[in-house]
Amino acid sequence: MSLLTLLPFIVLIGAMFLMTRSAKKKQQQAADMRNQMQPGSGIRTIGGMYATVKEVNEDTVLVDAGPGVDLLFAKNAIGAVLTDDEYNRIVHGIEHDLKSDADIVPDDASSLTATDESAADAPGDDKAVDLGKKDAADEPAAEAAEAKTDAEPKKTDGDSEAK
């Protein structure tokens, strides 16, 4: 056999070795994460439930899922151990913000477009706004056009009296 015929088998064995090695690393990291759980830690189960750890045993974890609700899970059912900030953000909606309040974007864009000087020069709210209405001199012509449209037959939604 030549080296050229063995090359596909060598590549296949190498790929299998790399895949099993990365899977073992992920399993080891997950086991380490589960072993680092302590009472008071926030967790997410593999089913997506968030809870707080009450007690950690060798193969099981007792969690507090709410007031008066204690659940017993296998350690393998714990999907992630969350940091305190992440747990509070997800469960309680509490954002831990390190930025100052001045960096917050306002809800409306008026403060982004108008400066104090241009706001002072802007017209006040008490002035009348021209909405493009016609003057009183144009009103009779508008009434005549409206009367003309009343004389035309009205369209219906398909029902017709003359069949």
Side-chain angles (χ1 to χ4, degrees):
M1 287 189 155
S2 70
L3 183 62
L4 194 56
T5 57
L6 291 177
L7 187 62
F9 293 112
I10 294 171
V11 171
L12 184 64
I13 291 171
M16 290 174 50
F17 173 73
L18 291 175
M19 284 191 283
T20 57
R21 192 175 117 196
S22 66
K24 284 182 183 179
K25 274 187 176 180
K26 287 181 183 180
Q27 287 177 350
Q28 184 62 37
Q29 287 174 347
D32 290 342
M33 179 246 340
R34 289 182 188 113
N35 290 333
Q36 292 175 357
M37 274 189 299
Q38 299 173 3
S41 300
I43 58 143
R44 182 184 67 233
T45 65
I46 58 174
M49 184 180 73
Y50 293 91
T52 305
V53 176
K54 281 183 87 174
E55 183 180 314
V56 179
N57 298 321
E58 190 172 325
D59 293 330
T60 60
V61 178
L62 182 67
V63 297
D64 181 21
V69 180
D70 294 337
L71 303 170
L72 186 65
F73 281 95
K75 268 191 176 180
N76 292 339
I78 306 303
V81 177
L82 308 172
T83 63
D84 290 339
D85 290 340
E86 187 178 11
Y87 182 76
N88 287 331
R89 179 182 58 82
I90 294 170
V91 175
H92 302 296
I94 300 170
E95 290 285 336
H96 182 67
D97 192 13
L98 299 176
K99 298 178 184 176
S100 66
D101 291 338
D103 294 340
I104 296 175
V105 178
D107 289 338
D108 62 345
S110 62
S111 64
L112 299 175
T113 58
T115 60
D116 293 337
E117 296 84 26
S118 64
D121 296 338
D125 291 337
D126 54 347
K127 290 186 180 179
V129 177
D130 182 22
L131 298 176
K133 289 187 175 181
K134 298 181 180 180
D135 293 338
D138 294 337
E139 287 181 14
E143 290 174 3
E146 187 177 311
K148 183 179 177 184
T149 57
D150 287 341
E152 294 177 5
K154 303 243 184 211
K155 293 186 178 179
T156 61
D157 61 324
D159 296 334
S160 176
E161 296 174 9
K163 288 191 178 182

